[in-house]
Amino acid sequence: MKIKSYILKNDFLEVELLNLGAIIRKVEMKDKNGILRNMVLSYENIEDYRENSAYFGAIIGRTAGRIKKGLLNINGKKYQLDKNNGENNLHGGYNSLSHKFWNVKNISKNSISFEIFSKDLENFFPANVKIRVDYILDKNELLIKYFASADKLTYINLTNHSYFNLNGTKNLEKKIYNHSLTLKSDYMLFLDSNYIPKYVKSTGNTIFDFKNKKLLQNFFSEKDEQKKLVNNGLDHPFIIEKNKKFMKLESCESGIFLEMITDNPAVVIYTGNFLSDIDFENHSGICFETQEVPNLFYNKALKIYPSFVDENKNYERYTKFIFNLINYYEKNCMSDICFSL
Ligand code: FUC
């Protein structure tokens, strides 16, 4: 099938999407100097998206993240999923939703819908599932809405896998070290040696405390076992508050900042720790994969439960990306740090 590209555009943002994987290939806006910047990592050759082993910009499903030994347990019934990441299932297995062609519906200047039908036992997941992902552009905001309905009990956990680099992907500093991150998260998940979420940990007094704005350079220069485990970086789920802006990522080099809001309970933050495997630089992008805590994790105290769906209960979620320019007269601007890097 042919890969087709679609553009959403307004005065502030231009977004390019693909029918393959419902991928975001471009999110472009003008930086502080009026220069257009594409803020997501992308392939210049559109054909490279067929392989896309790093899931650039793709919708991930049916299940984001890792499922231990690929064993999906739904109400006592076990389904053996693909083991496509060592012993585990990652991002729904081989040839999952990120690598399939979606049907395009309702295209306008500001919005587009992608639909896909995933039949019973496709990728070994139970239930016939209809999925729809809407991208809606409104001024400086890009909203992603996720819908899924199933004809019997199953588990669904969708996300988008864009790698952000607010310097734009050309000319300016390639790594994300001169970005600063504020993340409103008191709890995170530490991982076992197979990257499966192991236990809840308070972020306080750890290098993973981003409640006050932190330059990523400072995070990357710290020593820590969990950071080392994932090949030097972040690849961890953080628990967030729903329907509140939970994070702010800023680049004082371009003057662009990004905020996010979602009704998901968690975000997996991944700092592109293996991008050199695909001839990109490690840490040249950062993903905020809003989702449930992977591996059907549950925790009563934090009210975290897996999102089972069935013929009576649909899956419905959203994530919004809000782009803006930093006010350079703000006291907080970290431009000194930026230029001394
Ligand atoms: C694994 C995941 C990351 C990311 C990457 C492509 O390392 O844990 O979140 O999806 O694959």
Side-chain angles (χ1 to χ4, degrees), residues 104-157:
V104 176
K105 298 271 158 74
N106 311 322
I107 316 172
S108 77
K109 235 180 115 190
N110 300 315
S111 66
I112 188 167
S113 302
F114 293 94
E115 293 182 353
I116 201 161
F117 177 69
S118 179
K119 64 176 190 313
D120 191 24
L121 296 181
E122 188 170 278
N123 297 109
F124 308 102
F125 287 94
N128 289 304
V129 176
K130 278 190 206 159
I131 300 171
R132 196 177 97 217
V133 173
D134 298 338
Y135 289 101
I136 302 159
L137 194 60
D138 182 16
K139 299 190 193 85
N140 57 333
E141 301 181 347
L142 178 63
L143 171 65
I144 312 179
K145 282 167 100 177
Y146 300 85
F147 302 91
S149 58
D151 63 354
K152 66 175 181 197
L153 187 65
T154 191
Y155 173 70
I156 294 175
N157 185 19

Side-chain angles (χ1 to χ4, degrees), residues 9-15 26-40 139-140 165-169 172 251-258 322-328:
K9 195 177 168 156
N10 65 18
D11 290 343
F12 206 85
L13 290 171
E14 180 168 326
V15 178
K26 181 165 85 180
V27 183
E28 203 171 61
M29 71 177 258
K30 283 186 183 155
D31 71 6
K32 64 178 183 186
N33 296 317
I35 299 168
L36 280 174
R37 303 278 170 202
N38 178 13
M39 299 171 287
V40 292
K139 299 190 193 85
N140 57 333
N165 183 323
L166 303 180
N167 293 337
T169 45
L172 299 186
S251 161
C252 47
E253 193 177 6
S254 66
I256 295 172
F257 72 89
L258 164 65
I322 306 160
F323 298 92
N324 239 315
L325 280 179
I326 299 169
N327 174 357
Y328 270 77

Side-chain angles (χ1 to χ4, degrees), residues 188-192 196-199 201 206 208 226 236:
M188 66 179 294
L189 273 295
F190 269 27
L191 308 177
D192 72 12
I196 302 289
K198 196 165 57 170
Y199 60 89
K201 181 94 175 86
T206 72
F208 304 99
Q226 279 287 314
H236 295 79

